[in-house]
Amino acid sequence: EDQVTQSPEALRLQEGESSSLNCSYTVSGLRGLFWYRQDPGKGPEFLFTLYSAGEEKEKERLKATLTKKESFLHITAPKPEDSATYLCAVQGGFKGGATNKLIFGTGTLLAVQP
Amino acid sequence: DAGVIQSPRHEVTEMGQEVTLRCKPISGHNSLFWYRQTMMRGLELLIYFNNNVPIDDSGMPEDRFSAKMPNASFSTLKIQPSEPRDSAVYFCASSLLWNMGLAGINEQFFGPGTRLTVL
């Protein structure tokens, strides 16, 4: 069964203190791994898609990387406005029919203090 | 450019009442998804449609839940009768699949959600 596990559940950082969030996954035939950001009271906001092991993508202070078993979201010199819940999701392979389901992890709640 | 639109944003109702949530996907998108989010269970997929056709409804909790997509620009999620345990935030998301099924990569874009409270 496809599964996504995110760690830590919560992370508190000081402004400028770099760190990484982890997303471990088991999926039959990974077609895509997605990172989303969710602010309180809002819907998840799409950040990145990673397709294959070794791939990296960057956006401002965020960099996402992918291996065959996990993905990392690296946050460099975070600012208070980076505070949010970060969600990871995977799209698995073809299973006897068209499938575009995403399996989401439970997220990491990031708090960046000034 | 308008994103996914959901209405109402908040709904408070009494147990046993019918609730209808509405969603307008991004224009041109061909897949639509209904999710439910709670603190305990996180984000759960309820049902999704490709080209207005329901593909997978295995996440729908029970017969009290139903969803329709009469055209490419509108979908509803109905709960009848509602129960207190249905209280959650319900999200609608849409995506554009370039190659349905075999090679489509599913970048989904979410609406702002409907916060449902059933008393």
PDB file of all heavy atoms in Angstrom, chain A residues 59-76:
ATOM      1  N   LYS A  59      13.173  27.257  -4.897  1.00  0.00           N
ATOM      2  CA  LYS A  59      12.290  28.417  -4.960  1.00  0.00           C
ATOM      3  C   LYS A  59      12.588  29.264  -3.743  1.00  0.00           C
ATOM      4  O   LYS A  59      12.296  28.859  -2.623  1.00  0.00           O
ATOM      5  CB  LYS A  59      10.831  27.977  -4.966  1.00  0.00           C
ATOM      6  CG  LYS A  59       9.831  29.105  -5.033  1.00  0.00           C
ATOM      7  CD  LYS A  59       8.408  28.549  -5.063  1.00  0.00           C
ATOM      8  CE  LYS A  59       7.385  29.655  -5.143  1.00  0.00           C
ATOM      9  NZ  LYS A  59       6.002  29.127  -5.178  1.00  0.00           N
ATOM     10  N   GLU A  60      13.185  30.391  -3.976  1.00  0.00           N
ATOM     11  CA  GLU A  60      13.570  31.307  -2.903  1.00  0.00           C
ATOM     12  C   GLU A  60      14.419  30.558  -1.873  1.00  0.00           C
ATOM     13  O   GLU A  60      15.479  30.053  -2.192  1.00  0.00           O
ATOM     14  CB  GLU A  60      12.325  31.953  -2.289  1.00  0.00           C
ATOM     15  CG  GLU A  60      11.569  32.813  -3.284  1.00  0.00           C
ATOM     16  CD  GLU A  60      10.347  33.475  -2.681  1.00  0.00           C
ATOM     17  OE1 GLU A  60      10.006  33.193  -1.516  1.00  0.00           O
ATOM     18  OE2 GLU A  60       9.712  34.277  -3.386  1.00  0.00           O
ATOM     19  N   ARG A  61      13.980  30.464  -0.635  1.00  0.00           N
ATOM     20  CA  ARG A  61      14.768  29.841   0.423  1.00  0.00           C
ATOM     21  C   ARG A  61      14.541  28.324   0.515  1.00  0.00           C
ATOM     22  O   ARG A  61      15.100  27.666   1.392  1.00  0.00           O
ATOM     23  CB  ARG A  61      14.439  30.494   1.765  1.00  0.00           C
ATOM     24  CG  ARG A  61      14.847  31.969   1.826  1.00  0.00           C
ATOM     25  CD  ARG A  61      14.405  32.608   3.133  1.00  0.00           C
ATOM     26  NE  ARG A  61      12.944  32.715   3.211  1.00  0.00           N
ATOM     27  CZ  ARG A  61      12.246  33.642   2.618  1.00  0.00           C
ATOM     28  NH1 ARG A  61      12.839  34.553   1.872  1.00  0.00           N
ATOM     29  NH2 ARG A  61      10.927  33.674   2.757  1.00  0.00           N
ATOM     30  N   LEU A  62      13.732  27.784  -0.357  1.00  0.00           N
ATOM     31  CA  LEU A  62      13.381  26.359  -0.316  1.00  0.00           C
ATOM     32  C   LEU A  62      14.079  25.584  -1.425  1.00  0.00           C
ATOM     33  O   LEU A  62      14.161  26.055  -2.558  1.00  0.00           O
ATOM     34  CB  LEU A  62      11.874  26.181  -0.462  1.00  0.00           C
ATOM     35  CG  LEU A  62      10.977  26.853   0.570  1.00  0.00           C
ATOM     36  CD1 LEU A  62       9.514  26.626   0.216  1.00  0.00           C
ATOM     37  CD2 LEU A  62      11.275  26.342   1.969  1.00  0.00           C
ATOM     38  N   LYS A  63      14.572  24.404  -1.066  1.00  0.00           N
ATOM     39  CA  LYS A  63      15.115  23.485  -2.063  1.00  0.00           C
ATOM     40  C   LYS A  63      14.620  22.085  -1.746  1.00  0.00           C
ATOM     41  O   LYS A  63      14.779  21.607  -0.623  1.00  0.00           O
ATOM     42  CB  LYS A  63      16.636  23.488  -2.082  1.00  0.00           C
ATOM     43  CG  LYS A  63      17.205  22.577  -3.181  1.00  0.00           C
ATOM     44  CD  LYS A  63      18.695  22.759  -3.380  1.00  0.00           C
ATOM     45  CE  LYS A  63      19.529  22.044  -2.354  1.00  0.00           C
ATOM     46  NZ  LYS A  63      20.979  22.072  -2.695  1.00  0.00           N
ATOM     47  N   ALA A  64      14.031  21.434  -2.748  1.00  0.00           N
ATOM     48  CA  ALA A  64      13.522  20.075  -2.585  1.00  0.00           C
ATOM     49  C   ALA A  64      14.418  19.107  -3.337  1.00  0.00           C
ATOM     50  O   ALA A  64      14.830  19.388  -4.467  1.00  0.00           O
ATOM     51  CB  ALA A  64      12.092  19.976  -3.106  1.00  0.00           C
ATOM     52  N   THR A  65      14.715  17.981  -2.685  1.00  0.00           N
ATOM     53  CA  THR A  65      15.524  16.939  -3.295  1.00  0.00           C
ATOM     54  C   THR A  65      14.800  15.612  -3.185  1.00  0.00           C
ATOM     55  O   THR A  65      13.919  15.432  -2.337  1.00  0.00           O
ATOM     56  CB  THR A  65      16.896  16.843  -2.606  1.00  0.00           C
ATOM     57  OG1 THR A  65      16.701  16.496  -1.226  1.00  0.00           O
ATOM     58  CG2 THR A  65      17.655  18.161  -2.681  1.00  0.00           C
ATOM     59  N   LEU A  66      15.205  14.657  -4.045  1.00  0.00           N
ATOM     60  CA  LEU A  66      14.508  13.375  -4.100  1.00  0.00           C
ATOM     61  C   LEU A  66      15.494  12.226  -4.246  1.00  0.00           C
ATOM     62  O   LEU A  66      16.423  12.291  -5.058  1.00  0.00           O
ATOM     63  CB  LEU A  66      13.534  13.357  -5.279  1.00  0.00           C
ATOM     64  CG  LEU A  66      12.699  12.084  -5.470  1.00  0.00           C
ATOM     65  CD1 LEU A  66      11.748  11.870  -4.292  1.00  0.00           C
ATOM     66  CD2 LEU A  66      11.923  12.135  -6.783  1.00  0.00           C
ATOM     67  N   THR A  67      15.292  11.180  -3.410  1.00  0.00           N
ATOM     68  CA  THR A  67      16.003   9.921  -3.583  1.00  0.00           C
ATOM     69  C   THR A  67      14.954   8.845  -3.866  1.00  0.00           C
ATOM     70  O   THR A  67      13.770   9.145  -3.966  1.00  0.00           O
ATOM     71  CB  THR A  67      16.809   9.546  -2.327  1.00  0.00           C
ATOM     72  OG1 THR A  67      15.905   9.153  -1.280  1.00  0.00           O
ATOM     73  CG2 THR A  67      17.657  10.715  -1.847  1.00  0.00           C
ATOM     74  N   LYS A  68      15.391   7.594  -3.920  1.00  0.00           N
ATOM     75  CA  LYS A  68      14.445   6.517  -4.226  1.00  0.00           C
ATOM     76  C   LYS A  68      13.510   6.197  -3.072  1.00  0.00           C
ATOM     77  O   LYS A  68      12.503   5.510  -3.258  1.00  0.00           O
ATOM     78  CB  LYS A  68      15.208   5.260  -4.639  1.00  0.00           C
ATOM     79  CG  LYS A  68      15.872   5.380  -6.000  1.00  0.00           C
ATOM     80  CD  LYS A  68      16.508   4.075  -6.428  1.00  0.00           C
ATOM     81  CE  LYS A  68      17.101   4.216  -7.830  1.00  0.00           C
ATOM     82  NZ  LYS A  68      17.736   2.946  -8.277  1.00  0.00           N
ATOM     83  N   LYS A  69      13.839   6.695  -1.880  1.00  0.00           N
ATOM     84  CA  LYS A  69      13.008   6.369  -0.729  1.00  0.00           C
ATOM     85  C   LYS A  69      12.482   7.587   0.009  1.00  0.00           C
ATOM     86  O   LYS A  69      11.578   7.437   0.850  1.00  0.00           O
ATOM     87  CB  LYS A  69      13.807   5.509   0.264  1.00  0.00           C
ATOM     88  CG  LYS A  69      14.185   4.146  -0.253  1.00  0.00           C
ATOM     89  CD  LYS A  69      14.900   3.345   0.827  1.00  0.00           C
ATOM     90  CE  LYS A  69      15.247   1.943   0.348  1.00  0.00           C
ATOM     91  NZ  LYS A  69      15.950   1.151   1.396  1.00  0.00           N
ATOM     92  N   GLU A  70      13.062   8.777  -0.234  1.00  0.00           N
ATOM     93  CA  GLU A  70      12.637   9.932   0.533  1.00  0.00           C
ATOM     94  C   GLU A  70      12.918  11.234  -0.207  1.00  0.00           C
ATOM     95  O   GLU A  70      13.674  11.263  -1.188  1.00  0.00           O
ATOM     96  CB  GLU A  70      13.311   9.950   1.912  1.00  0.00           C
ATOM     97  CG  GLU A  70      14.826   9.945   1.869  1.00  0.00           C
ATOM     98  CD  GLU A  70      15.450   9.690   3.239  1.00  0.00           C
ATOM     99  OE1 GLU A  70      14.738   9.652   4.256  1.00  0.00           O
ATOM    100  OE2 GLU A  70      16.681   9.514   3.271  1.00  0.00           O
ATOM    101  N   SER A  71      12.298  12.263   0.309  1.00  0.00           N
ATOM    102  CA  SER A  71      12.520  13.604  -0.204  1.00  0.00           C
ATOM    103  C   SER A  71      12.796  14.521   0.978  1.00  0.00           C
ATOM    104  O   SER A  71      12.284  14.308   2.081  1.00  0.00           O
ATOM    105  CB  SER A  71      11.292  14.101  -0.972  1.00  0.00           C
ATOM    106  OG  SER A  71      11.468  15.437  -1.408  1.00  0.00           O
ATOM    107  N   PHE A  72      13.627  15.525   0.711  1.00  0.00           N
ATOM    108  CA  PHE A  72      13.926  16.513   1.735  1.00  0.00           C
ATOM    109  C   PHE A  72      13.520  17.897   1.227  1.00  0.00           C
ATOM    110  O   PHE A  72      13.700  18.217   0.053  1.00  0.00           O
ATOM    111  CB  PHE A  72      15.419  16.519   2.077  1.00  0.00           C
ATOM    112  CG  PHE A  72      15.877  15.277   2.776  1.00  0.00           C
ATOM    113  CD1 PHE A  72      16.423  14.217   2.055  1.00  0.00           C
ATOM    114  CD2 PHE A  72      15.772  15.154   4.156  1.00  0.00           C
ATOM    115  CE1 PHE A  72      16.846  13.064   2.688  1.00  0.00           C
ATOM    116  CE2 PHE A  72      16.188  14.007   4.796  1.00  0.00           C
ATOM    117  CZ  PHE A  72      16.728  12.957   4.066  1.00  0.00           C
ATOM    118  N   LEU A  73      12.992  18.683   2.145  1.00  0.00           N
ATOM    119  CA  LEU A  73      12.735  20.087   1.848  1.00  0.00           C
ATOM    120  C   LEU A  73      13.691  20.886   2.731  1.00  0.00           C
ATOM    121  O   LEU A  73      13.526  20.930   3.955  1.00  0.00           O
ATOM    122  CB  LEU A  73      11.282  20.451   2.134  1.00  0.00           C
ATOM    123  CG  LEU A  73      10.873  21.874   1.757  1.00  0.00           C
ATOM    124  CD1 LEU A  73      10.969  22.082   0.250  1.00  0.00           C
ATOM    125  CD2 LEU A  73       9.453  22.177   2.242  1.00  0.00           C
ATOM    126  N   HIS A  74      14.697  21.463   2.093  1.00  0.00           N
ATOM    127  CA  HIS A  74      15.710  22.225   2.819  1.00  0.00           C
ATOM    128  C   HIS A  74      15.278  23.685   2.871  1.00  0.00           C
ATOM    129  O   HIS A  74      14.915  24.266   1.840  1.00  0.00           O
ATOM    130  CB  HIS A  74      17.069  22.108   2.120  1.00  0.00           C
ATOM    131  CG  HIS A  74      17.505  20.700   1.873  1.00  0.00           C
ATOM    132  ND1 HIS A  74      18.132  19.925   2.821  1.00  0.00           N
ATOM    133  CD2 HIS A  74      17.392  19.918   0.759  1.00  0.00           C
ATOM    134  CE1 HIS A  74      18.384  18.729   2.316  1.00  0.00           C
ATOM    135  NE2 HIS A  74      17.948  18.693   1.074  1.00  0.00           N
ATOM    136  N   ILE A  75      15.356  24.256   4.055  1.00  0.00           N
ATOM    137  CA  ILE A  75      14.990  25.663   4.226  1.00  0.00           C
ATOM    138  C   ILE A  75      16.239  26.404   4.679  1.00  0.00           C
ATOM    139  O   ILE A  75      16.770  26.153   5.776  1.00  0.00           O
ATOM    140  CB  ILE A  75      13.856  25.817   5.246  1.00  0.00           C
ATOM    141  CG1 ILE A  75      12.666  24.967   4.831  1.00  0.00           C
ATOM    142  CG2 ILE A  75      13.458  27.276   5.379  1.00  0.00           C
ATOM    143  CD1 ILE A  75      11.528  24.959   5.814  1.00  0.00           C
ATOM    144  N   THR A  76      16.697  27.313   3.843  1.00  0.00           N
ATOM    145  CA  THR A  76      17.933  28.046   4.117  1.00  0.00           C
ATOM    146  C   THR A  76      17.604  29.436   4.640  1.00  0.00           C
ATOM    147  O   THR A  76      16.831  30.173   4.033  1.00  0.00           O
ATOM    148  CB  THR A  76      18.766  28.174   2.833  1.00  0.00           C
ATOM    149  OG1 THR A  76      19.064  26.864   2.335  1.00  0.00           O
ATOM    150  CG2 THR A  76      20.075  28.912   3.105  1.00  0.00           C
TER     151      THR A  76
END
